[in-house]
Amino acid sequence: KFDDSVRALQKKGIPVWPSPDVMEFMGAKDALTKIRNLNIGMPDTGTYYTEDEFVAGFKKSMKFQPRVIKQNRGSSGEGIWIINLKTGDYCAAYGDATVQDSDELILMEANDNHVENHTVLEFINWCLYGRDEGKGAGEWASKGTGKYLEGGKAAGGQLTDQRFCGRILEGELRYNMVNTVCLGVIHKVPAPGGMSAVGGTGSDYFFYDNGVISDTKLSSCEYSAYVQKEASADGNHHRCAAEEGPAKVEAGTHEKKVINVDLEALRKKFVEEDCAILMKTLELPDEPIPLWWTADMINASLGKCWEAVPVAEQKWVVGEFNCSCVGVSKCLPAYCKPDTPNVSWKDIPAEEA
């Protein structure tokens, strides 16, 4: 009824909410496949709708590079898996080889950064059958249920397969948009030891206004972190808490790294080159860009994480669009979690309210 009512208002020229079609097509994870040839996309992104597509495609892509497999129906990172081969034995070119059912994977789920170890076959069975007895998925610590293709494409059953961008440890940028106007940017940096900057995981958030609540406009930003010299068990070089950094540098275990991003140059390129053709690319040519939406961008530049890349050579890609449930990060103190079950809007600091 709600969707039909919104469509009826749309026909009268009254915009009160993104249309149901925009929320479905823009918010679905296969939007990342549709934009893969834009500046903000990665060409080796794909989406699976059937069991055969998934098994064949995943076995090929997993042997090439670390991946992020994203279910379509979850929220707050549930069912989004960052996956590495335990052996680190990747092939030189896509399609040169495939993984075997017995190959071991290291998986981290983005909703809480917990790590699991499973074989390729166990992961495939988890995605297809979840915890169904006798289906061979093994034991999972995930809070989710698997079965990501259940119901087929019409019911939202799909898995999107995207190359893992190791620079996620440097943080992702959330561009907060009203139509094509950027209100500001949030730099979201995963917690020490984590890979996901989803709210509630202990991530650090840095806010950059674009002349909305202050006279400050977007420009370049600089972020400093104290990073491990030796890789962790997951093969990545994680940062430590800022207050612990100087002591760890002195002890010789960490080193200071500085990352620079030109937020305004990225905004300008995104708005002028990608937003102009975004809705057509998403197969929504007759729909306007949503009134309020966000685009989460990750640095996909070549080179190792924490190694500086000249701003002009940086490649930023979208990891997710959101136009149906846009979060207000400065209201996180009112976010009820198991450890804060009784918080409310009154817990938002006065200067942020």
Side-chain angles (χ1 to χ4, degrees):
K1 287 184 178 180
F2 178 79
D3 287 354
D4 289 341
S5 297
V6 171
R7 289 188 178 101
L9 287 171
Q10 260 199 315
K11 290 180 180 178
K12 295 180 180 180
I14 305 174
V16 294
W17 198 265
S19 78
D21 294 329
V22 169
M23 287 192 286
E24 178 181 351
F25 285 93
M26 193 171 187
K29 295 299 187 290
D30 62 355
L32 304 180
T33 300
K34 294 174 183 176
I35 66 166
R36 61 187 173 187
N37 293 318
L38 300 185
N39 294 319
I40 52 173
M42 285 195 292
D44 59 336
T45 302
T47 300
Y48 312 123
Y49 302 100
T50 69
E51 178 177 337
D52 290 343
E53 287 176 344
F54 169 52
V55 173
F58 174 68
K59 284 187 172 183
K60 185 184 295 185
S61 66
M62 191 67 247
K63 187 63 177 177
F64 176 46
Q65 287 179 333
R67 311 302 294 179
V68 182
I69 300 294
K70 305 181 180 187
Q71 74 145 322
N72 187 46
R73 289 181 281 233
S75 62
S76 299
E78 190 266 306
I80 296 180
W81 294 96
I82 300 165
I83 312 176
N84 289 269
L85 282 177
K86 190 171 184 178
T87 63
D89 182 24
Y90 298 99
C91 60
Y94 179 73
D96 280 357
T98 60
V99 293
Q100 303 301 307
D101 287 345
S102 58
D103 286 344
E104 295 183 336
L105 305 174
I106 303 173
L107 307 104
M108 177 180 283
E109 193 170 15
N111 61 329
D112 57 9
N113 285 321
H114 86 278
V115 175
E116 305 200 28
N117 292 271
H118 293 280
T119 65
V120 168
L121 184 59
E122 285 174 338
F123 177 67
I124 288 174
N125 288 336
W126 167 257
C127 293
L128 298 177
Y129 311 115
R131 292 186 173 86
D132 285 0
E133 188 174 350
K135 293 297 186 178
E139 295 294 325
W140 287 74
S142 172
K143 297 174 184 176
T145 58
K147 298 185 179 182
Y148 303 135
L149 297 182
E150 191 171 51
K153 183 177 181 180
Q158 59 179 257
L159 282 165
T160 293
D161 182 345
Q162 192 173 45
R163 186 195 325 159
F164 172 62
C165 300
R167 292 181 182 272
I168 185 64
L169 295 181
E170 301 172 6
E172 64 180 340
L173 303 175
R174 169 162 290 184
Y175 276 73
N176 196 347
M177 308 290 294
V178 169
N179 198 260
T180 58
V181 176
C182 177
L183 304 182
V185 177
I186 308 170
H187 182 204
K188 307 192 296 181
V189 185
M195 301 288 281
S196 169
V198 174
T201 59
S203 307
D204 286 340
Y205 282 25
F206 304 92
F207 299 87
Y208 298 92
D209 182 41
N210 193 27
V212 176
I213 59 176
S214 71
D215 293 329
T216 304
K217 302 286 283 187
L218 290 181
S219 59
S220 296
C221 73
E222 181 178 283
Y223 174 70
S224 299
Y226 298 95
V227 180
Q228 298 167 324
K229 290 184 177 180
E230 299 294 331
S232 296
D234 62 6
N236 295 291
H237 294 261
H238 294 276
R239 70 181 181 96
C240 68
E243 62 273 14
E244 300 174 358
K248 290 183 179 291
V249 169
E250 187 174 349
T253 60
H254 289 60
E255 54 188 336
K256 187 175 182 179
K257 296 287 189 178
V258 179
I259 302 299
N260 290 283
V261 183
D262 191 332
L263 300 175
E264 170 56 19
L266 183 56
R267 180 211 64 82
K268 190 173 188 295
K269 187 174 185 179
F270 175 49
V271 169
E272 294 181 0
E273 297 183 19
D274 292 309
C275 286
I277 56 174
L278 181 59
M279 302 311 285
K280 180 180 179 180
T281 304
L282 293 174
E283 301 175 8
L284 296 163
D286 299 323
E287 295 281 0
I289 287 181
L291 180 63
W292 187 17
W293 60 291
T294 61
D296 291 347
M297 298 195 188
I298 303 168
N299 190 348
S301 304
L302 297 176
K304 295 180 180 179
C305 184
W306 301 113
E307 289 187 357
V309 178
V311 169
E313 298 175 17
Q314 292 178 6
K315 163 74 171 176
W316 288 83
V317 300
V318 167
E320 183 176 46
F321 294 116
N322 192 333
C323 65
S324 59
C325 185
V326 176
V328 182
S329 297
K330 290 198 174 187
C331 293
L332 283 175
Y335 173 31
C336 292
K337 307 187 299 295
D339 59 330
T340 57
N342 299 314
V343 295
S344 71
W345 64 270
K346 296 179 181 179
D347 293 285
I348 300 172
E351 62 271 20
E352 307 291 2

